[in-house]
């Protein structure tokens, strides 16, 4: 790839140098051509003036002497003719040359060349400069100078050589910069490509999955396409590994439930045979078995909630429910548990949901509407939403503390439905808010019990339906769990 990159950079550099060098060379040649033409045109005009004066005075001795000195000094031939085309002074001009005849005829017709071709190092050695003698009304002859272009062509060649050397030097500099740049850019890419290729070679092959490589959608150098293929293979392997991990958790939790159930039955059968001195130990063992069973149940629920679409457990697009009705049902179901815990459970107004910072103890008590009167539905099944709300209500009932107040509210925004459960309980330290949805994490202020998987399960259930679950602080103290799901209108 470095060779192709260097070739591309060299071509671009060459185009840039040529785009600068060619116009500069042409400008230098045009300038030197104009300098020669202006100089010799001035000489021709002076000779025409002398020839006109000599014709008026009736003598051409002075004109001949001037032309002779000019010929000796510059080595260029000069021809002066009268109105009939007969030569008056001729210092080496070949009259039979068709170019000379054409230039004399044009000058006698008072025609001046509109444009002179730009000189180059390989142009003709002689340039004809012709001027009429007399005024525009009366032409008394013509002057033709065979101007040598040797000096001008040599000067142009020198300038072009300097420009060529400068362009060559610039190309060398550009190529060195391109080499350094290509090494700087491609070294980490090559290292990453090798590392990814080595890692990909150790990964298991995809399990019955046909990936859609990036290389099928985009072109590029073979090295980049190979890197894209390696990244695709690695991504597929990682996805398969994550799927296998979820499946392993589910299989393990499911497989261990039966032995635990058998162990629980055996412990129950031994309850009456345990002596009094071992009853405390027996009850501890029974509690640990129950705790382990609850932990396995939570792991199974988490695995099912996080299972990808490839396992056939993703949420259906046809799932929908009335979120207000589900919330009202859960409030009714949890009312007795909250009463036993000494926590007041109420609902917010239908158009208001407690926000972070609200004083939930001041929220008025309302009853959520028993039916959907607005035609607003949440894109989630009632069972899944109920399971999520049960997690939030269970945490509030267990950890808010006696005397706390829990408020459940439902709000509707464009395309979104949010159910918020907020309490004014003890809450958690600010630095622990982001950790509450992590697996097995339990707040430092939480009472004993629980596995630390409830909010993880609820968040996985919400994400599986395209929703969100966030945990926020309530001022002056307390905690709020907000569940947002897409809205569908029927």
């Amino acid at each position: 790839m470095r060779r192709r990159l260097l070739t591309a950079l060299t071509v671009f550099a060459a185009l840039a140098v040529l785009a600068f060098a060619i116009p500069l060379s042409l400008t230098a040649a045009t300038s030197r051509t104009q300098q020669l033409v202006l100089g010799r045109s001035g000489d021709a005009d002076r000779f025409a003036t002398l020839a006109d004066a000599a014709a008026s005075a009736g003598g051409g001795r002075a004109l001949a002497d001037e032309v002779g000195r000019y010929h000796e000094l510059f080595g260029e031939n000069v021809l002066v003719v009268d109105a009939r085309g007969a030569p008056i002074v001729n210092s080496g001009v070949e009259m039979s040359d068709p170019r000379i005849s054409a230039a004399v005829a044009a000058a006698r017709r008072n025609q001046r060349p509109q444009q002179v071709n730009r000189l180059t190092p390989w142009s003709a050695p002689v340039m004809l400069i012709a001027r009429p003698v007399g005024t525009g009304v009366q032409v008394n002859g013509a002057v033709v100078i065979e101007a040598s272009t040797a000096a001008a062509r040599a000067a142009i060649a020198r300038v072009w050589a300097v420009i060529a050397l400068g362009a060559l030097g610039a190309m060398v500099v550009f190529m060195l910069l391109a080499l350094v740049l290509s090494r700087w850019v491609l070294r980490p890419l090559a290292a990453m490509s090798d590392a990814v290729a080595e890692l990909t070679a150790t990964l298991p092959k995809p399990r019955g999955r046909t990936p859609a490589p990036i290389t099928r959608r985009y072109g590029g150098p073979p090295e980049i396409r190979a890197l894209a293929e390696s990244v695709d293979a690695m991504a597929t392997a990682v996805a398969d590994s994550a799927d296998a991990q979820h499946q392993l958790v589910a299989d393990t939790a499911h497989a261990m439930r039966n032995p635990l159930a058998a162990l629980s039955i055996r412990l129950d059968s031994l309850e009456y045979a345990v002596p009094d001195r071992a009853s405390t130990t027996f009850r501890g063992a029974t509690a640990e078995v129950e705790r382990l069973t609850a932990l396995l149940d939570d792991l199974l629920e988490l695995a099912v909630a996080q299972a990808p679409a490839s396992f056939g457990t993703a949420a259906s697009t046809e799932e929908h429910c009335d979120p207000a009705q589900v919330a009202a049902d859960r409030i009714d179901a949890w009312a007795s548990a909250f009463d036993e815990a000494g926590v007041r459970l109420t609902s917010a107004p239908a158009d208001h949901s407690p926000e972070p910072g609200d004083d939930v103890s001041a929220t008025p008590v309302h009853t959520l509407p028993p039916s959907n009167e607005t035609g607003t539905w949440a894109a989630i099944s009632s069972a899944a939403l109920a399971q999520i709300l049960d997690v939030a209500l269970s945490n509030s009932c267990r950890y808010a503390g006696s005397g706390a107040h829990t408020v459940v509210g439902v709000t509707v925004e464009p395309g979104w439905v949010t159910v918020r459960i907020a309490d004014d309980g003890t809450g958690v330290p600010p630095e622990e808010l982001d950790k509450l949805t992590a697996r097995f994490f339990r707040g430092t202020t939480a009472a004993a019990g629980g596995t630390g998987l409830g909010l993880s399960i609820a968040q996985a259930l919400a994400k599986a339906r395209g929703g969100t679950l966030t945990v926020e602080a309530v001022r002056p103290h307390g905690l709020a769990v907000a569940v947002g799901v897409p809205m569908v209108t029927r």
Side-chain angles (χ1 to χ4, degrees):
M1 186 169 60
R2 179 178 299 173
R3 183 174 63 256
R4 288 185 292 273
L5 180 60
L6 284 175
T7 301
L9 292 176
T10 301
V11 171
F12 290 148
L15 292 176
V17 169
L18 291 177
F20 175 78
I22 291 177
L24 182 61
S25 301
L26 296 179
T27 300
T30 300
S31 176
R32 193 62 183 84
T33 301
Q34 291 177 347
Q35 181 180 353
L36 176 63
V37 171
L38 290 176
R40 295 304 182 265
S41 296
D43 294 338
D45 290 337
R46 182 166 60 85
F47 289 142
T49 302
L50 292 176
D52 192 31
S56 301
R61 185 64 184 176
L63 175 62
D65 292 342
E66 188 69 21
V67 170
R69 287 194 297 271
Y70 181 86
H71 177 70
E72 292 176 0
L73 179 62
F74 294 103
E76 296 179 351
N77 302 327
V78 180
L79 171 65
V80 181
V81 299
D82 57 15
R84 297 186 304 275
I88 300 176
V89 178
N90 186 356
S91 60
V93 176
E94 183 63 42
M95 293 287 295
S96 60
D97 189 345
R99 295 174 61 248
I100 298 297
S101 301
V104 169
R108 288 174 59 199
R109 293 193 299 270
N110 200 22
Q111 294 179 353
R112 298 176 181 240
Q114 299 296 322
Q115 184 177 1
V116 179
N117 294 331
R118 181 191 300 114
L119 291 176
T120 61
W122 48 84
S123 294
V126 174
M127 175 187 295
L128 297 181
I129 304 296
R131 288 293 184 271
V133 176
T135 64
V137 177
Q138 181 179 358
V139 176
N140 298 322
V143 176
V144 177
I145 298 178
E146 289 183 333
S148 174
T149 61
R153 289 186 291 111
I156 293 173
R158 287 194 298 270
V159 173
W160 283 17
V162 171
I163 294 175
L165 291 176
L168 181 61
M171 281 296 302
V172 172
V173 172
F174 284 147
M175 290 181 66
L176 292 177
L177 290 177
L179 181 61
V180 173
L181 180 62
S182 63
R183 287 181 177 177
W184 179 66
V185 171
L186 298 180
R187 183 179 292 114
L189 181 61
M192 182 178 68
S193 179
D194 294 339
V196 171
E198 293 177 1
L199 178 60
T200 304
T202 63
L203 295 175
K205 300 301 180 182
R207 297 180 292 105
R209 179 180 299 179
T210 303
I214 296 176
T215 50
R216 294 184 182 178
R217 298 192 297 270
Y218 302 100
E223 294 82 357
I224 300 297
R225 294 199 298 269
L227 177 60
E229 290 176 356
S230 298
V231 171
D232 281 343
M234 183 174 62
T236 302
V238 169
D240 286 340
S241 177
D243 294 350
Q245 179 186 9
H246 295 151
Q247 187 66 36
L248 176 63
V249 172
D251 293 342
T252 303
H254 188 272
M256 292 183 66
R257 292 179 69 186
N258 291 334
L260 278 176
L263 179 59
S264 179
I265 293 173
R266 290 177 181 272
L267 288 175
D268 290 341
S269 64
L270 291 174
E271 181 177 2
Y272 298 103
V274 174
D276 293 340
R277 65 177 180 274
S279 60
T280 302
T281 304
F282 177 80
R283 287 194 297 271
T286 302
E288 289 300 323
V289 171
E290 292 176 352
R291 182 176 179 275
L292 184 57
T293 302
L295 177 60
L296 290 177
D297 289 341
D298 287 345
L299 285 174
L300 184 58
E301 290 184 10
L302 179 61
V304 173
Q306 291 182 332
S310 59
F311 292 154
T313 59
S316 170
T317 56
E318 300 298 326
E319 288 184 348
H320 59 271
C321 70
D322 178 359
Q325 183 62 53
V326 174
D329 291 342
R330 302 327 299 158
I331 290 176
D332 183 65
W334 281 91
S336 59
F338 272 78
D339 289 341
E340 292 179 4
V343 181
R344 189 157 60 103
L345 177 62
T346 60
S347 60
D351 59 348
H352 174 77
S353 179
E355 298 290 338
D358 286 354
D359 184 1
V360 297
S361 62
T363 304
V365 178
H366 290 263
T367 301
L368 292 171
S371 60
N372 196 322
E373 300 175 355
T374 62
T376 300
W377 299 80
I380 186 173
S381 67
S382 57
L385 181 58
Q387 187 176 357
I388 295 172
L389 296 184
D390 283 344
V391 171
L393 290 170
S394 174
N395 287 346
S396 181
C397 179
R398 180 180 299 178
Y399 305 122
S402 180
H405 180 198
T406 300
V407 180
V408 180
V410 179
T411 56
V412 178
E413 301 174 355
W416 206 253
V417 179
T418 302
V419 182
R420 188 183 299 271
I421 300 94
D423 63 62
D424 57 357
T426 56
V428 297
E431 62 272 12
E432 295 183 0
L433 281 175
D434 295 337
K435 303 177 183 178
L436 291 179
T437 55
R439 299 177 186 177
F440 303 108
F441 180 82
R442 302 181 72 252
T444 55
T445 60
T451 60
L453 289 174
L455 287 176
S456 299
I457 296 173
Q459 187 180 56
L461 289 171
K463 284 186 175 180
R465 275 75 180 174
T468 60
L469 184 143
T470 56
V471 183
E472 303 153 335
V474 175
R475 289 195 301 267
H477 52 78
L479 205 64
V481 176
V483 183
V485 291
M487 182 183 69
V488 292
T489 303
R490 298 184 66 193

